[in-house]
Amino acid sequence: MIEVLLVRTSLSRLAPGLASRPAAATLLAIAVAAVGLGPAASPAAAATIPAGAGSYTDSRPAGTSGPTTNTGAPVTPKLTTAARDKPVPTNDWWSSLAYQRYGDNPYSTPMYGHPLTYQAKASGLEVGYPTTPAIVGDGRQYEYAHKADLTVGLSGLNSPDTKADAWSDWTVTPYWADGSRTFRATIGHGMPFVYAKGSGGDARITTASTPSVFSDDGNVLGITVAGHHYALFAPTGSDWNVSGTAITAGLGSKDYFSLAVLPSTDALATYRKYAFSFVTGSQVAWQSTGGTVKATYSLTTEAKEGTERGTLQALYRHQWLHTTDALTPYTYVSPRGTMKVRESASFTTSQKNNGVVPALPASSGVDKARLAGYLNEVANASDPFSGAADTYWTGKALGRLAQLVPVADQIGETATRDKLLGLMKGRLQEWFTAGGASEFSYDKDWKTLTGYPASYGSDTELNDHHFHYSYYVYAAAIIAQYDQAWAADSAWGTMIKHLIRDTANPSRTDSAYPFLRGFDVYAGHSWASGHQGFAAGNNQESSSESINLSAGLVLWGAATGDNNLRDLGSFLLTTESEAITQYWFDASQQVFPASFGHDTVGMVWGSGGAYSTWWTANPEEIHGINVLPVTGGSLHLAREKAAIKRNIAEMERENGGPAQEWRDLLWQFESLSDPAAAKAKWDGVNGNYTPEQGESKAHTYHWINTLNTVGAPDMTVSGDLPTSAVFSKDGTRTYTAHNHGSTARTVTFSDGKTLSVPARSTATSTGPGGSGPDPEEPGPSTGNTFRLKSGGVLTTATTDPAGTDTVASADGVNRDGTPYRPTVYEVKKVNGKVASGTATAFRLRVDAGTKVGLAPQVRISYDLTGDGTFDRAETFRYFATDPVNGWEEYTQASGAQATTGSLGELKNGTVRLEIWNALGNGTSQVQTGTDAAVLKIPYV
């Protein structure tokens, strides 16, 4: 045990990117393997494959390993014959179907599709719907762990293993065969259905406890198990038979059946409609134009009976926050907060593009002489790579140098710039040439490119490729900005494209690499483990290193003229940014369970999240691991400035004071919200500290002092060029953009500002606008005025962007006084005492366009203790809108229609505003994010 503790101590200093490792008991073995003493293979004579000026091998270097089981035995993908030649997307939510990490488990570990969870076993597929979180690990982790409500399969099925048979962007079909029976089940993210096909036996559902039947209509059976409602659908003409915990139905000449988890028993009729519309595939399509990123998520279906080809999909929070598509009233519980159901085979999201810039703009706040001195410290160091040998630490060193190149160029230090570029080129070329001490090797079984020396399981577990290679892609993009010939395919660009294809391949037809290996397009973020061999599902720790890859794609695509790769980077970054905001930082405070006592997590798991890292419990690293590396791709974090302030405050509480070890990272993080506070901390140390190993004093000094001068990023404004950004201070906005192209162009920003940018140059200008310094956000315990924020949030923040939400149609029925498909806004953890002589007040702007006879109506409800029961409800008279385009103001002056319950002291309470259309047959709009979208409660 002493040896293990020593290894953990060393890893805490050496592994800020460590992710996806097994439990602490195996850290010693991992550390040994990482330095080349682990299990080794005996590769055949390696062939060298040319790639432009570079090369890689098709066989591992002597003494190294590829993917193995936990005992060190080599392992190949667990696929059916039909799938054998298809590149398998390791690092997915279902990877344990294909990667048998544990030799005694040939089926799978728990897989978290949401709302359903799954685990393969000999008799079929376990299915669960966890709805109650558990707080574990001394309060440091919350989880909605898989627990089987039922198992779906065939009578007598006893398969020796489960293989992956087919997959698409977010669905997978596992396969069972025992010699007499075959069974397939298509499952996926957001899918309330399991679509089953089998031969050789009857359909069989085995429940975890004796079910209660709430509906029996022959081939359609409604049951309740463990408090969860399911519908079972056998082919027409069949009949379900219930005997204890066994439920069977003969399939006759058919080979299909399905089941669905229901949000309520009265949803059975709706779900029955789609029972035989079997999902056969899933695909996302993205587009980045005019400063907006749009994505359409589509399912393909097959009608097993009848002609219905539609379906039902449950959208994650990061999706429904950004769609205007109609949603049903149905919802599900998940570790990512409420999922909302759409009745359609597709939906579209739209977000402002989160820009990426090579460097922050030039500013008067930077002392050029001092900065030049810091730059020289790095450029003239005896070993600028700090002894880095493996892919991860080499990448970190490349990233550190890459951040300084445009900074040196900005202040006219061209000799230093070129020296840094030379260092980066030299090291990359070493790695990109087979046969030396470091090289890349292609594994034809797993269809992946691995760098050796490897680290942190990037070889033996296929972990973290997107983390490691992000630095190489980013560094190459900076080189390409200054030396396009170096980045040409005939030179070193082909090797960079191999790394991109390995980690973020945009092609679904590439036979050498899978589509988007680690990025889960439906979950909205990447996964780090290559085998997903954990009870909690897959995981990702350093979301920011995943963002680093997306930012690198934006810059590489822009620098090389590959707009498709540039726009892929924009899609990945913008999508993952919202996922990080919601699932790592819980910025809206609507995701983490109320019983979880943290405002951020270091790691997201399929089952939940954890306030931890793989290698240390140090709060600085728990908070900092989702910040590093700080680059021009980190600006997206500034969208939620109040969340940054909460994050820093929690770190300092948990740490017993300000950061000491990773202080530079956390200063830079804080400067995205409060540059003055960050600068005060920098000034207090005056350069007397040791930088984090991927950082430098030059970069930190430039970052903090620049933002203190131009202000924090203003994420309410976006440019129509992905390599642009806006900053705001004291009512003045600073606009910047880098034009990688060979001709001048004009960048147009969403506030109407235009900026002319010469070819291959950065341009900056200033103008009026912005909200001035970010005000301190009063906590819910002291604020009594809330703004409506798109996505169902009431917030005391005043810096959120203006927007609109859709209010659903009344569908031609009088809904006066009764909320019908309301648009709901809520704030939790509110404390306050009733203010005598005051009353609930609101001011909303609504618009019905040219629709006739609509009437928005509002209800304000108070749950005084946050126990889920609303003690007071105030329903106001509806407001009849006119059929003319333009906003109209709806306030409490319309008068109260009905009031129930009494007001009392709010103690960790909840306040809710619902708005719906009481009349009419069309949708209307309500404004959000402005002073005309306000609720004021009668509390102090």
Side-chain angles (χ1 to χ4, degrees):
M1 187 62 186
I2 293 175
E3 289 183 298
V4 174
L5 290 174
L6 288 173
V7 171
R8 293 195 72 184
T9 301
S10 66
L11 287 175
S12 73
R13 302 283 65 78
L14 295 177
L18 184 63
S20 316
R21 248 60 65 209
T26 59
L27 282 174
L28 179 61
I30 292 164
V32 172
V35 295
L37 301 177
S42 299
T48 297
I49 305 183
S55 57
Y56 61 94
T57 63
D58 65 355
S59 187
R60 294 186 298 276
T64 65
S65 293
T68 64
T69 67
N70 63 312
T71 60
V75 63
T76 56
K78 195 159 54 84
L79 309 174
T80 63
T81 301
R84 193 158 294 157
D85 294 327
K86 185 178 177 182
V88 61
T90 55
N91 311 76
D92 215 330
W93 67 275
W94 55 265
S95 293
S96 61
L97 280 172
Y99 192 135
Q100 187 176 340
R101 176 63 179 164
Y102 299 98
D104 59 352
N105 181 7
Y107 304 103
S108 81
T109 53
M111 300 173 289
Y112 293 81
H114 306 148
L116 292 172
T117 61
Y118 314 95
Q119 184 167 7
K121 55 191 293 189
S123 59
L125 184 69
E126 288 185 351
V127 178
Y129 174 40
T131 53
T132 303
I135 307 299
V136 298
D138 295 328
R140 288 177 167 261
Q141 182 167 348
Y142 77 88
E143 59 179 10
Y144 293 78
H146 168 70
K147 182 179 181 182
D149 289 337
L150 50 85
T151 301
V152 55
L154 300 176
S155 295
L157 180 65
N158 186 23
S159 178
D161 59 21
T162 309
K163 297 181 174 71
D165 182 56
W167 53 85
S168 58
D169 286 10
W170 61 89
T171 68
V172 65
T173 301
Y175 172 86
W176 294 255
D178 64 5
S180 301
R181 289 158 287 267
T182 64
F183 179 65
R184 292 174 174 85
T186 297
I187 56 179
H189 277 316
M191 285 169 47
F193 283 93
V194 175
Y195 302 98
K197 294 182 67 176
S199 64
D202 294 340
R204 180 182 176 93
I205 309 294
T206 305
T207 56
S209 59
T210 302
S212 61
V213 175
F214 64 83
S215 179
D216 189 348
D217 189 15
N219 69 316
V220 178
L221 185 71
I223 62 172
T224 301
V225 182
H228 304 141
H229 310 300
Y230 291 89
L232 314 181
F233 305 99
T236 299
S238 300
D239 192 8
W240 290 102
N241 175 62
V242 181
S243 177
T245 59
I247 306 174
T248 56
L251 298 178
S253 61
K254 310 298 183 183
D255 67 350
Y256 57 83
F257 63 101
S258 66
L259 66 84
V261 61
L262 303 179
S264 61
T265 56
D266 60 9
L268 177 57
T270 300
Y271 281 64
R272 181 173 186 166
K273 179 180 177 182
Y274 303 106
F276 300 110
S277 179
F278 274 42
V279 168
T280 57
S282 58
Q283 185 166 309
V284 65
W286 60 87
Q287 182 183 44
S288 178
T289 56
T292 299
V293 175
K294 291 187 176 181
T296 298
Y297 300 81
S298 302
L299 296 173
T300 54
T301 62
E302 174 189 5
K304 291 294 184 182
E305 293 186 8
T307 59
E308 180 59 61
R309 297 290 299 275
T311 191
L312 296 157
Q313 300 182 76
L315 279 64
Y316 282 115
R317 180 176 180 82
H318 76 275
Q319 295 168 326
W320 57 255
L321 279 171
H322 297 287
T323 187
T324 57
D325 293 340
L327 303 175
T328 71
Y330 301 131
T331 62
Y332 290 105
V333 173
S334 88
R336 310 292 179 253
T338 299
M339 300 182 80
K340 297 187 177 183
V341 177
R342 173 159 166 78
E343 192 172 2
S344 174
S346 70
F347 64 90
T348 298
T349 62
S350 180
Q351 293 176 256
K352 287 183 178 179
N353 193 350
N354 290 304
V356 178
V357 291
L360 297 182
S363 79
S364 61
V366 173
D367 182 318
K368 293 182 180 180
R370 184 176 185 183
L371 178 56
Y374 286 143
L375 287 166
N376 286 331
E377 286 180 9
V378 178
N380 298 328
S382 59
D383 179 10
F385 290 90
S386 304
D390 62 49
T391 47
Y392 181 73
W393 288 102
T394 297
K396 290 270 289 187
L398 286 166
R400 184 166 67 108
L401 300 181
Q403 297 312 309
L404 300 183
V405 169
V407 169
D409 186 55
Q410 188 179 94
I411 63 170
E413 295 289 327
T414 55
T416 301
R417 175 201 68 191
D418 293 343
K419 185 171 186 178
L420 294 168
L421 285 168
L423 290 168
M424 293 160 60
K425 289 177 183 178
R427 185 54 59 95
L428 283 171
Q429 289 165 202
E430 287 178 20
W431 275 90
F432 291 166
T433 304
S438 52
E439 66 180 16
F440 283 92
S441 172
Y442 181 77
D443 186 316
K444 62 179 175 50
D445 292 324
W446 288 97
K447 294 181 169 49
T448 187
L449 194 70
T450 302
Y452 293 91
S455 51
Y456 308 129
S458 61
D459 50 351
T460 58
E461 300 180 44
L462 297 181
N463 295 336
D464 301 358
H465 282 204
H466 62 313
F467 292 165
H468 296 209
Y469 302 170
S470 73
Y471 293 101
Y472 294 71
V473 174
Y474 200 110
I478 295 297
I479 294 172
Q481 181 178 326
Y482 295 91
D483 187 347
Q484 289 191 308
W486 185 92
D489 288 349
S490 58
W492 303 98
T494 297
M495 281 301 296
I496 288 295
K497 288 182 177 178
H498 272 287
L499 298 190
I500 292 171
R501 288 166 66 198
D502 182 72
T503 54
N505 190 6
S507 172
R508 297 180 180 85
T509 59
D510 189 336
S511 61
Y513 299 98
F515 172 69
L516 295 180
R517 178 184 303 280
F519 191 85
D520 187 328
V521 295
Y522 204 89
H525 59 82
S526 297
W527 295 112
S529 169
H531 54 75
Q532 190 258 310
F534 304 97
N538 212 323
N539 72 89
Q540 176 154 274
E541 184 182 59
S542 183
S543 62
S544 48
E545 286 179 307
S546 183
I547 287 286
N548 194 44
L549 176 61
S550 303
L553 291 174
V554 172
L555 294 178
W556 171 263
T560 60
D562 189 335
N563 289 347
N564 289 329
L565 276 181
R566 181 199 67 185
D567 293 347
L568 168 63
S570 291
F571 162 66
L572 297 178
L573 192 156
T574 302
T575 302
E576 191 153 23
S577 172
E578 187 62 59
I580 293 166
T581 293
Q582 299 299 331
Y583 312 141
W584 273 261
F585 296 159
D586 195 17
S588 302
Q589 298 182 292
Q590 298 288 310
V591 173
F592 298 168
S595 51
F596 182 62
H598 296 281
D599 288 326
T600 189
V601 295
M603 304 168 68
V604 160
W605 286 89
S607 65
Y611 186 78
S612 63
T613 72
W614 276 108
W615 78 97
T616 181
N618 181 357
E620 296 184 31
E621 286 144 306
I622 292 171
H623 289 256
I625 192 59
N626 287 292
V627 174
L628 64 82
V630 176
T631 75
S634 303
L635 304 182
H636 74 99
L637 293 169
R639 276 193 305 116
E640 298 287 348
K641 295 179 174 60
I644 294 176
K645 293 176 183 179
R646 286 197 303 271
N647 194 306
I648 294 293
E650 178 177 18
M651 183 280 296
E652 293 184 348
R653 287 195 306 271
E654 294 282 332
N655 202 45
Q660 298 298 316
E661 293 184 62
W662 280 8
R663 62 183 77 183
D664 45 358
L665 286 171
L666 293 164
W667 291 337
Q668 292 174 89
F669 182 41
E670 186 171 17
S671 69
L672 294 170
S673 172
D674 190 343
K679 185 176 186 302
K681 291 176 179 176
W682 165 272
D683 290 343
V685 175
N686 197 29
N688 296 318
Y689 69 98
T690 300
E692 186 270 333
Q693 285 190 263
E695 264 298 337
S696 64
K697 292 179 182 178
H699 181 246
T700 301
Y701 171 76
H702 179 267
W703 183 275
I704 290 173
N705 285 275
T706 298
L707 290 181
N708 186 61
T709 303
V710 302
D714 185 343
M715 305 307 292
T716 67
V717 183
S718 61
D720 63 0
L721 184 69
T723 50
S724 62
V726 182
F727 307 85
S728 179
K729 181 176 182 179
D730 297 335
T732 297
R733 283 183 173 140
T734 297
Y735 303 81
T736 189
H738 186 85
N739 176 14
H740 290 85
S742 58
T743 59
R745 68 157 293 165
T746 297
V747 178
T748 301
F749 292 87
S750 57
D751 63 353
K753 174 72 174 181
T754 58
L755 178 64
S756 179
V757 192
R760 307 198 191 288
S761 300
T762 295
T764 301
S765 70
T766 60
S771 56
D774 296 307
E776 289 295 325
E777 179 187 0
S781 61
T782 58
N784 66 353
T785 301
F786 302 90
R787 283 189 180 190
L788 277 62
K789 178 180 178 180
S790 290
V793 176
L794 293 173
T795 175
T796 53
T798 58
T799 56
D800 294 313
T804 59
D805 283 342
T806 298
V807 182
S809 171
D811 294 334
V813 176
N814 188 323
R815 313 288 184 177
D816 185 15
T818 303
Y820 174 71
R821 297 167 62 191
T823 301
V824 180
Y825 303 87
E826 198 170 80
V827 59
K828 295 183 177 180
K829 301 180 182 178
V830 183
N831 297 289
K833 295 182 178 180
V834 176
S836 178
T838 63
T840 301
F842 62 89
R843 180 171 66 253
L844 304 177
R845 282 184 180 167
V846 294
D847 180 31
T850 58
K851 303 180 187 74
V852 177
L854 303 194
Q857 189 166 23
V858 161
R859 173 176 293 175
I860 314 296
S861 304
Y862 299 86
D863 172 0
L864 301 179
T865 60
D867 63 359
T869 299
F870 284 90
D871 307 278
R872 167 84 166 186
E874 303 174 16
T875 304
F876 293 84
R877 294 190 179 95
Y878 62 69
F879 177 81
T881 50
D882 62 34
V884 178
N885 282 317
W887 295 109
E888 300 175 79
E889 191 163 88
Y890 175 26
T891 74
Q892 76 284 349
S894 63
Q897 182 190 64
T899 301
T900 60
S902 302
L903 291 173
E905 185 175 357
L906 282 164
K907 296 180 179 179
N908 205 34
T910 299
V911 179
R912 174 185 293 174
L913 183 150
E914 300 168 274
I915 182 169
W916 70 98
N917 274 309
L919 304 172
N921 201 359
T923 61
S924 57
Q925 302 292 313
V926 61
Q927 206 171 84
T928 62
T930 72
D931 288 333
V934 172
L935 166 66
K936 186 172 183 178
I937 62 175
Y939 283 85
V940 292

